Amino acid sequence: MKVMAKIGVLMVCICMVCSLSSCKRRIDIGKGESYIYCLNSDRTGLQKVTYEITQEDPVEAAQAMLHELQKPAEDIEYTPPIGSDIEVRSCTLEGEVLYVDFSTQYRKMSSIEEILVRGAIVQSLVKIDGITSVWFRVEGEDLKDSSGGILGYMNGDDFVQNLGSSPSSYQKETFTLYFSNKEGNALVEETVDIKYNSNIPKEKLIVENLIKGPKTDGRYPSINPDVNVLSVTIKDGICYINFDKTFLKSVYEVRPEITIYSLVNSLIEGTEADMVQISINGEQTVKYMETIDLTKPLKEDFSWIEKKGNE
């Protein structure tokens, strides 16, 4: 009987050890463990949750991750960012930009919660190899911000990782952008006041507004409006911009230098960058319009600014 009792106690101990080892919470992220972002229990901030990407194909990996971001939580410390009433209608990859289309229920979230949900989804998806930015659509229409502007591509730099805190507020700042003159052979300044979410990097804001074109008379667009910006970041004083190949197709009658230095001058003047490195689909071994070497970072060149009196 004593032997049986000892065996019984031993079995209980073994079961307790196994139970404890299997109770590791998904929010307990170990060093080197991969994770995704969900929302915290009261949906006021983000929460890291362990998750391993097993698919090699980026679209398949994205589909699996989006499904995971909608699954019921396994821990009371977090909630899935995508509500059970929201359908992911499609998920397609163009270059390194992932387009995700949601059902109309996506629009029913409050603005604060939507920013957090969007941040969780984007910051999770860009962890997948082959995806550098994400573009949201709802029922086939590009998602817009509160002012009616298309949000466009988003990457991890667009969001402050607010773990347990609310998203940042909007702010207003003045930027100097450079566009083309009427003849397409010189740059013309435009000073604009832009209201934007403080989570959005200035470099992204500048590039987006250059692509949209000028707002005042006497200034003309210089960049193909159909271009996709795959990523834009600043590191060690260099602003890295990655366009798709549409950038190489000029639709305006402007000199190649005007297109390039509208970007370079605007970014250097509006950010902490000292130089700008332009790449096409991740490649830097190209020449723009067979004229400008893009293999190395470019410095500003204000000699292309139109002299006063020539307008």
Side-chain angles (χ1 to χ4, degrees), residues 207-225:
V207 174
E208 287 180 341
N209 278 271
L210 286 171
I211 293 172
K212 288 178 183 177
K215 298 180 180 179
T216 55
D217 294 337
R219 283 84 177 151
Y220 298 84
S222 60
I223 301 172
N224 189 331

Side-chain angles (χ1 to χ4, degrees), residues 55-63 91 93 98 128-131:
Q55 300 80 8
E56 293 185 2
D57 180 77
V59 174
E60 292 179 1
Q63 292 170 339
C91 182
L93 189 66
L98 184 75
I128 299 171
D129 289 340
I131 298 175

